[in-house]
Amino acid sequence: MTTTAAAPDHPLLGKHREVLDEARAALAARSWFSRYPESPSPRVYGESAAPDGLAAYTAHLGSTYAALSDQPSDGTLVGSEVSPYGPELRVAYPHLDVDAALAAARAAIPAWRDAGPQLRAAVCLEIVDAINRRGFEMAHAVMHTSGQPFVMAFQAGGPHAQDRAVEAVVAGLVEQERVPSSVVWEKPARDAPIRMVKDYRLVPRGVSLVIGCNTFPTWNAYPGIFASLVTGNPVVVKPHPRAVLPLAITVDVARTVLRDNGFDPALVQLAPEADGEGLAKTLAERPEVAIIDYTGGPRFGEWLEREAASRGALVYTEKAGVNTVVVDSVDDLRGTLGNLAFSLTLYSGQMCTTPQNVYVPGDGVETDEGHLSFGEFGERLAGAIRRLTDDDAEAVELLGATVNEQVRTNAAQLGELALRGGGEIVLEPREVTHPAYPDAVVRAPGLLALDASAEEVYTTECFGPVTFLIRTSSTRQSLSRFVETVRQHGAMTAAVYSTSQEVLAAARDAAADAGVALSENLTGPVFVNQTAAFSDFHGTGANPAANAAYTDAAFVANRFRVVTSRRHA
Amino acid sequence: MTTTAAAPDHPLLGKHREVLDEARAALAARSWFSRYPESPSPRVYGESAAPDGLAAYTAHLGSTYAALSDQPSDGTLVGSEVSPYGPELRVAYPHLDVDAALAAARAAIPAWRDAGPQLRAAVCLEIVDAINRRGFEMAHAVMHTSGQPFVMAFQAGGPHAQDRAVEAVVAGLVEQERVPSSVVWEKPARDAPIRMVKDYRLVPRGVSLVIGCNTFPTWNAYPGIFASLVTGNPVVVKPHPRAVLPLAITVDVARTVLRDNGFDPALVQLAPEADGEGLAKTLAERPEVAIIDYTGGPRFGEWLEREAASRGALVYTEKAGVNTVVVDSVDDLRGTLGNLAFSLTLYSGQMCTTPQNVYVPGDGVETDEGHLSFGEFGERLAGAIRRLTDDDAEAVELLGATVNEQVRTNAAQLGELALRGGGEIVLEPREVTHPAYPDAVVRAPGLLALDASAEEVYTTECFGPVTFLIRTSSTRQSLSRFVETVRQHGAMTAAVYSTSQEVLAAARDAAADAGVALSENLTGPVFVNQTAAFSDFHGTGANPAANAAYTDAAFVANRFRVVTSRRHA
């Protein structure tokens, strides 16, 4: 009934034992841990990795993804991906026969359940390792579906996503290992003690549905995929219709590793859909689906939280919110502006963690370069963004391309928002020309100054290269606006800049009240919109932006259940 | 930000450190652990404990529960408890002002949150210890609200409930301690490593609502109350209108301990209601209520799972199901019959864990006393029940009294069920006269033999002293009926009797598929309807009878969230 009893000699157990032990220790200590180098340098991944990866990516274009043709299919092909950089991908994916796919997933449960947590974890590690070996191919796939710049696509879509996968595997493994396989229970009694043998068997919930997003197809999908898989649940991956390829490669690799190691590939299936098909809803309503992981817009996320949760499915969502920066005072203005400008610029503000609302007191900010008025602070921030983005060729390596029309519209409507909110544009979102991809729509960040009374404008998420500089009466008002807006509208991140210990303590209390993680006085190479696997939680589950966090115990503990069998010893 | 930083010298920390350490170890090992002696003997609790407890109970009768009058009240009194043994309790309870009570609960959060998990756990232990000191008073209160016999009311309503409380405290504490208070994170970099200090602050969900039941007012409420309290959430306890007193005493004790130790008594409040008021629904719909623990009928439980869960509240339910015994073959017929008869008799089958459906092959059962036909097995079981219950005065000490009209109706309708299902009554539920309480309605268990085709009868929960002996074509059919009925209708318990290792293995697989805990070949002083804190999970959360288990990690891990604050080191 224990794993090792099930397959004590499986070679993958020994192969991955050491890394699992290291990762276990890192997770408990929340210390730095990374299994996969984040640098795309040839010195790390080899001279041929980059050209081979590009060739592998290019080979997908205009083709049918044949490696997935052994999935139960209804015979149709779907696929309409267009790179945010311009080109159509023209990859065709076999469309699932949903009934047959769910039946296949359920049929795969008993053997996977009985393999036990250690072997499942080892198989998962083998899958993630194999995904890592396709890192450059994946980088191009992520770049040309999300619009991320190449290096970011390599890192966030590759090693960083893979580290989040390993984190989920280890978190799920540790959780399962907390329950002993078997114990002898002995209760003192008048004559002899009463002795019972109790076996604890871990059983999965059922089929797990992972609904991917457009901007981070792998990074946001891997925690759910691997948390479910390691706890014994088969996974159906429903990618965003504009970001299928990265998850197709992922599922392809997973199925290959499963098959090669004697497991049923139906444990991981890809459910691509035609644009507008609504397959996520169809799948979420199926009684076989017991777990749903979702990243995406609030509307469908709230539908899932309401409807799928009400029929008993576990629903883990990451939606959106109004990420916040409170600026009070700084002792390193240059570092502060550089750090903030980078956070706003990276991927044109299209991260769910990019700051949107920057609260600055109306009477300005004390800095190591003297007092700056509200207007001067805005000008200095605009200057920092300009310096970072004024060269088109360099800028696109940070900005990437805009992912969809909504983002472009948000950028284009800054003037209208300024009118509506009685604000003033401090920095126009500049149109940037991509030297290699003339059809890419690239925008540098824009800044709009608003008064704190213009709630109507800044309490809605305005995804993309738009930041609001909000003039408050004081830092005290900044903090109370911060708490109120996050409680009501949610946030994935928050930051504070202050030289005052009292203000920092108040900001920590505000963050606790709002239920959002806080970055304090970031000036170096760590950015508010980035979290590190094994140490930083992504999301808190304590505000409306997300009901779960990558990866805490609550994210994994309910994905399996314990069935006891007991008998007299 | 850590507890001990908050109050490193609080005397309760030292007072309860040792027992918390022992309980932690027991929980991890799932070994036997009990803090409170289960024997009501004067040698254990002292000569005066029993008479003092009775006097304390008697003093409540006909009185207003004045100790709760400092709760925010709307000025009205409610209370209509009638003992299943006959007498009216005539205790009047101050009715909450719901708005004021929820506001008071929320206002109590910050200080309780900042006390930290260790101090909260110590305060919870202090509360449970104080509840234990009122054990005899509680036993009478439980007996005269639930109808349990006295010794059972003492044990299940007292020490066993208290052990489940300690279990929940420790499970919640351990879960919180898994997150370090603060770490230094160090990422290797080209020049110097990047170093960040990260503080992890635990924050509660919000107000926790615990909805009690009639039959086990304390045992089923304590896990939710203490799991929420130790994780920082204030608790509103809504007792069943016919079982208020045990939870009134509980809340009274909790508030006294909180007050005496400098904490806000609004952390635990009692919400008694008038019969038919529907206060549970009112409270469950309040946005302040973030967590709901419920024990009771499936209809309201399903409403909570659907409606409260859909607005984002965490909902933990324990409802009902069709508990199952599969009889294949026995090597200790006497022990088997004695064990089964006791399980069916205890509290007249009014435990959510009492077996209802006993599957027996139509071609009978091999035993150490030779082959028994289906009919003979039924007769022998009926005989064992008769022997256990034929003396009225002794029988009532096992049976207790029937708790409500539905139970009495279920017993009275056995003939009608026999007609409907084409079955045969093997044992009539005998009317027992209570020697001390002539108004008590007491029933010994009845047995109805049915064919496996009479699904319509046996797939509905028939709460109380009614057991179905179901004739199957084979043990194989018994097991498949077991899996199907539990998957569809749920179960809290299951048992199997077999001398065959193959059958036992198949039964374990069936239990895993059905998602219910299994007791194998119980013949001694352990019964299928009893679970031990720290070792046995009560419920699995893997079938429709309950969506949660006492007490696994999933029961506690989501009751708090983690808010990080990080800065350059």
Side-chain angles (χ1 to χ4, degrees):
Chain A
M1 221 156 295
T2 63
T3 305
T4 38
D9 303 325
H10 198 290
L12 289 182
L13 285 170
K15 179 173 177 187
H16 295 295
R17 183 165 292 132
E18 202 174 322
V19 65
L20 284 171
D21 286 345
E22 282 170 35
R24 254 191 213 98
L27 188 68
R30 303 209 75 76
S31 54
W32 179 82
F33 180 84
S34 173
R35 177 154 172 74
Y36 306 103
E38 66 186 353
S39 165
S41 157
R43 284 189 305 279
V44 176
Y45 282 98
E47 287 296 335
S48 65
D52 290 355
L54 178 58
Y57 167 72
T58 308
H60 291 297
L61 304 179
S63 304
T64 296
Y65 204 112
L68 293 173
S69 61
D70 64 338
Q71 295 190 159
S73 170
D74 62 11
T76 63
L77 293 170
V78 293
S80 55
E81 291 160 291
V82 180
S83 171
Y85 291 93
E88 288 184 33
L89 270 60
R90 296 173 294 109
V91 187
Y93 305 92
H95 189 274
L96 281 188
D97 175 332
V98 169
D99 288 337
L102 291 177
R106 285 181 58 88
I109 289 178
W112 187 238
R113 172 191 73 195
D114 296 339
Q118 286 82 12
L119 182 52
R120 284 197 297 268
V123 173
C124 286
L125 256 284
E126 187 75 2
I127 293 171
V128 187
D129 279 0
I131 291 170
N132 177 258
R133 286 194 295 275
R134 290 173 73 167
F136 283 86
E137 176 188 2
M138 182 66 84
H140 291 286
V142 170
M143 174 180 172
H144 285 291
T145 50
S146 69
Q148 291 177 23
F150 179 78
V151 172
M152 180 179 180
F154 182 89
Q155 295 187 332
H160 295 174
Q162 293 149 18
D163 283 339
R164 282 283 177 199
V166 175
E167 176 190 52
V169 169
V170 172
L173 175 60
V174 166
E175 207 58 48
Q176 294 172 90
E177 288 177 333
R178 295 176 71 198
V179 182
S181 309
S182 186
V183 304
V184 177
W185 175 86
E186 190 170 309
K187 178 182 177 175
R190 211 162 345 184
D191 309 319
I194 303 167
R195 297 176 74 235
M196 303 283 292
V197 173
K198 302 183 182 187
D199 298 333
Y200 302 99
R201 187 162 175 178
L202 309 179
V203 300
R205 281 275 179 189
V207 178
S208 170
L209 169 65
V210 177
I211 302 170
C213 68
N214 198 167
T215 48
F216 288 88
T218 57
W219 196 93
N220 278 105
Y222 285 3
I225 293 174
F226 287 95
S228 278
L229 210 50
V230 76
T231 49
N233 306 278
V235 181
V236 174
V237 180
K238 207 294 292 170
H240 192 283
R242 288 192 292 274
V244 183
L245 188 55
L247 288 172
I249 296 169
T250 301
V251 170
D252 172 13
V253 169
R255 291 169 64 87
T256 302
V257 169
L258 286 163
R259 202 184 290 109
D260 290 352
N261 288 280
F263 293 100
D264 191 336
L267 289 165
V268 185
Q269 298 180 87
L270 188 79
E273 64 179 331
D275 229 338
E277 181 188 337
L279 183 55
K281 188 160 179 290
T282 305
L283 288 166
E285 284 171 336
R286 293 288 298 226
E288 298 95 328
V289 171
I291 304 175
I292 301 173
D293 287 273
Y294 169 77
T295 314
R299 213 158 61 162
F300 189 59
E302 284 159 16
W303 182 87
L304 287 170
E305 290 174 1
R306 201 171 56 240
E307 300 302 327
S310 78
R311 69 159 181 81
L314 302 177
V315 178
Y316 304 93
T317 60
E318 197 215 284
K319 298 170 297 181
V322 289
N323 302 317
T324 298
V325 181
V326 171
V327 180
D328 172 70
S329 52
V330 302
D331 62 6
D332 175 3
L333 181 63
R334 204 188 146 87
T336 299
L337 295 172
N339 187 284
L340 269 180
F342 186 89
S343 287
L344 301 178
T345 299
L346 187 65
Y347 189 26
S348 302
Q350 298 172 109
M351 300 175 74
C352 61
T353 50
T354 304
Q356 170 178 309
N357 292 346
V358 180
Y359 293 99
V360 182
D363 60 4
V365 178
E366 292 300 325
T367 82
D368 55 324
E369 300 182 24
H371 180 86
L372 295 182
S373 70
F374 177 84
E376 287 166 342
F377 182 84
E379 278 308 324
R380 294 291 297 264
L381 182 58
I385 293 170
R386 263 190 228 105
R387 271 193 303 284
L388 205 57
T389 59
D390 67 351
D391 178 274
D392 280 7
E394 286 175 20
V396 297
E397 299 307 328
L398 286 180
L399 293 166
T402 51
V403 69
N404 61 32
E405 269 319 310
Q406 186 59 54
V407 168
R408 289 159 211 150
T409 305
N410 288 344
Q413 286 179 339
L414 205 60
E416 199 184 298
L417 290 178
L419 278 176
R420 236 173 68 205
E424 191 191 337
I425 293 180
V426 177
L427 179 67
E428 283 283 0
R430 189 172 78 83
E431 299 190 13
V432 176
T433 305
H434 199 296
Y437 295 101
D439 294 338
V441 180
V442 183
R443 292 283 177 278
L447 295 176
L448 173 60
L450 292 167
D451 189 78
S453 60
E455 278 196 87
E456 188 219 343
V457 174
Y458 67 81
T459 57
T460 305
E461 192 192 40
C462 189
F463 197 67
V466 172
T467 303
F468 302 123
L469 288 171
I470 301 163
R471 180 198 309 262
T472 60
S473 59
S474 62
T475 293
R476 178 189 293 267
Q477 191 194 18
S478 298
L479 290 174
S480 78
R481 290 274 62 207
F482 161 43
V483 173
E484 288 157 18
T485 53
V486 174
R487 276 194 174 166
Q488 202 167 350
H489 306 285
M492 296 303 295
T493 62
V496 60
Y497 287 91
S498 180
T499 58
S500 152
Q501 286 308 314
E502 290 80 54
V503 169
L504 290 173
R508 285 170 205 146
D509 281 348
D513 289 344
V516 63
L518 184 71
S519 292
E520 305 171 14
N521 292 325
L522 295 188
T523 52
V526 170
F527 303 96
V528 63
N529 34 353
Q530 297 179 329
T531 60
F534 290 89
S535 184
D536 295 314
F537 294 104
H538 174 74
T540 62
N543 72 59
N547 76 0
Y550 306 155
T551 290
D552 61 8
F555 190 69
V556 294
N558 215 357
R559 292 180 194 250
F560 67 94
R561 309 305 303 155
V562 184
V563 171
T564 310
S565 58
R566 60 180 187 173
R567 65 200 74 94
H568 296 296
Chain B
M1 222 156 295
T2 64
T3 306
T4 39
D9 302 324
H10 198 291
L12 290 181
L13 286 170
K15 179 173 178 187
H16 295 295
R17 183 166 292 131
E18 202 174 323
V19 64
L20 285 172
D21 285 346
E22 283 171 35
R24 252 191 214 100
L27 187 70
R30 304 210 73 78
S31 54
W32 180 81
F33 180 83
S34 174
R35 177 154 172 75
Y36 306 103
E38 66 186 352
S39 165
S41 157
R43 287 190 303 281
V44 177
Y45 282 97
E47 288 296 336
S48 66
D52 290 354
L54 178 58
Y57 167 71
T58 308
H60 289 298
L61 304 180
S63 304
T64 297
Y65 204 111
L68 293 172
S69 60
D70 65 336
Q71 295 191 159
S73 171
D74 61 11
T76 62
L77 293 170
V78 293
S80 55
E81 291 160 290
V82 180
S83 171
Y85 290 93
E88 288 183 34
L89 271 61
R90 294 173 296 110
V91 187
Y93 305 93
H95 189 274
L96 281 188
D97 174 332
V98 170
D99 287 339
L102 291 177
R106 284 180 58 88
I109 289 178
W112 188 238
R113 172 190 74 196
D114 294 340
Q118 286 82 12
L119 183 51
R120 284 197 297 268
V123 172
C124 286
L125 256 285
E126 186 75 3
I127 292 171
V128 188
D129 280 0
I131 291 170
N132 178 258
R133 285 194 295 275
R134 291 174 72 167
F136 283 85
E137 176 188 0
M138 182 66 85
H140 291 286
V142 170
M143 174 179 172
H144 285 292
T145 50
S146 69
Q148 290 178 23
F150 179 78
V151 172
M152 179 178 180
F154 181 89
Q155 295 186 333
H160 295 173
Q162 293 149 18
D163 283 339
R164 282 283 176 199
V166 175
E167 176 190 52
V169 169
V170 172
L173 174 61
V174 166
E175 207 58 48
Q176 295 172 89
E177 289 177 333
R178 295 176 71 198
V179 183
S181 309
S182 187
V183 304
V184 177
W185 176 85
E186 188 169 311
K187 177 181 178 175
R190 212 166 339 184
D191 308 318
I194 302 167
R195 299 176 74 235
M196 303 283 291
V197 174
K198 303 184 182 186
D199 298 332
Y200 302 100
R201 186 164 176 177
L202 310 178
V203 300
R205 281 277 179 188
V207 179
S208 169
L209 170 65
V210 176
I211 302 171
C213 68
N214 198 1
T215 48
F216 288 88
T218 56
W219 196 93
N220 277 105
Y222 286 3
I225 292 175
F226 286 95
S228 278
L229 210 50
V230 76
T231 50
N233 305 278
V235 181
V236 174
V237 181
K238 208 295 292 171
H240 192 284
R242 288 193 291 275
V244 183
L245 188 56
L247 288 172
I249 295 168
T250 301
V251 170
D252 173 13
V253 168
R255 292 169 63 87
T256 301
V257 170
L258 286 163
R259 203 184 290 110
D260 290 351
N261 288 279
F263 293 100
D264 190 337
L267 289 165
V268 185
Q269 298 180 87
L270 188 80
E273 65 178 331
D275 229 337
E277 180 188 338
L279 183 55
K281 189 160 179 292
T282 304
L283 288 166
E285 284 172 335
R286 294 287 299 226
E288 299 94 329
V289 171
I291 305 175
I292 300 174
D293 288 272
Y294 170 76
T295 313
R299 213 158 60 161
F300 188 60
E302 283 160 15
W303 182 87
L304 286 170
E305 290 174 0
R306 202 172 55 241
E307 301 301 327
S310 78
R311 69 159 180 81
L314 302 177
V315 178
Y316 304 94
T317 59
E318 196 214 284
K319 297 170 298 182
V322 289
N323 302 317
T324 298
V325 181
V326 171
V327 179
D328 172 68
S329 51
V330 302
D331 62 7
D332 175 3
L333 181 62
R334 205 187 145 85
T336 299
L337 295 173
N339 188 283
L340 269 180
F342 185 88
S343 288
L344 301 179
T345 299
L346 187 65
Y347 190 25
S348 302
Q350 298 172 111
M351 300 176 73
C352 61
T353 50
T354 305
Q356 169 178 309
N357 292 346
V358 180
Y359 293 98
V360 180
D363 60 5
V365 178
E366 292 301 327
T367 83
D368 54 325
E369 301 182 25
H371 179 86
L372 297 182
S373 70
F374 177 85
E376 287 166 341
F377 182 83
E379 279 307 325
R380 292 292 297 265
L381 182 57
I385 292 170
R386 263 191 227 106
R387 272 193 304 283
L388 205 57
T389 58
D390 66 353
D391 178 272
D392 279 6
E394 286 176 19
V396 296
E397 299 306 328
L398 286 179
L399 293 167
T402 51
V403 69
N404 61 31
E405 268 319 310
Q406 185 60 54
V407 168
R408 290 159 210 150
T409 305
N410 288 344
Q413 286 179 339
L414 205 61
E416 199 184 297
L417 290 178
L419 278 176
R420 237 173 67 204
E424 190 193 338
I425 293 181
V426 178
L427 179 67
E428 283 283 0
R430 188 172 77 82
E431 299 190 13
V432 176
T433 304
H434 199 295
Y437 295 101
D439 294 337
V441 180
V442 183
R443 292 283 177 280
L447 295 175
L448 173 61
L450 292 166
D451 190 77
S453 60
E455 276 197 89
E456 189 220 341
V457 174
Y458 67 79
T459 58
T460 304
E461 190 192 38
C462 190
F463 197 67
V466 172
T467 303
F468 303 122
L469 288 171
I470 302 163
R471 182 198 307 263
T472 60
S473 59
S474 63
T475 292
R476 178 189 293 268
Q477 192 195 17
S478 298
L479 291 173
S480 78
R481 290 274 61 206
F482 161 43
V483 173
E484 288 156 18
T485 54
V486 174
R487 276 194 174 166
Q488 202 166 351
H489 307 285
M492 297 302 297
T493 63
V496 62
Y497 287 91
S498 181
T499 58
S500 153
Q501 287 307 315
E502 290 81 56
V503 169
L504 291 173
R508 285 171 206 145
D509 281 348
D513 289 345
V516 64
L518 183 71
S519 292
E520 303 171 15
N521 292 325
L522 295 188
T523 52
V526 170
F527 303 95
V528 63
N529 33 353
Q530 298 179 329
T531 60
F534 290 89
S535 184
D536 294 315
F537 294 103
H538 173 75
T540 62
N543 70 59
N547 77 1
Y550 307 155
T551 290
D552 61 7
F555 190 69
V556 293
N558 215 356
R559 292 180 195 249
F560 67 94
R561 309 304 303 153
V562 185
V563 171
T564 311
S565 57
R566 60 181 187 174
R567 66 200 75 95
H568 297 296

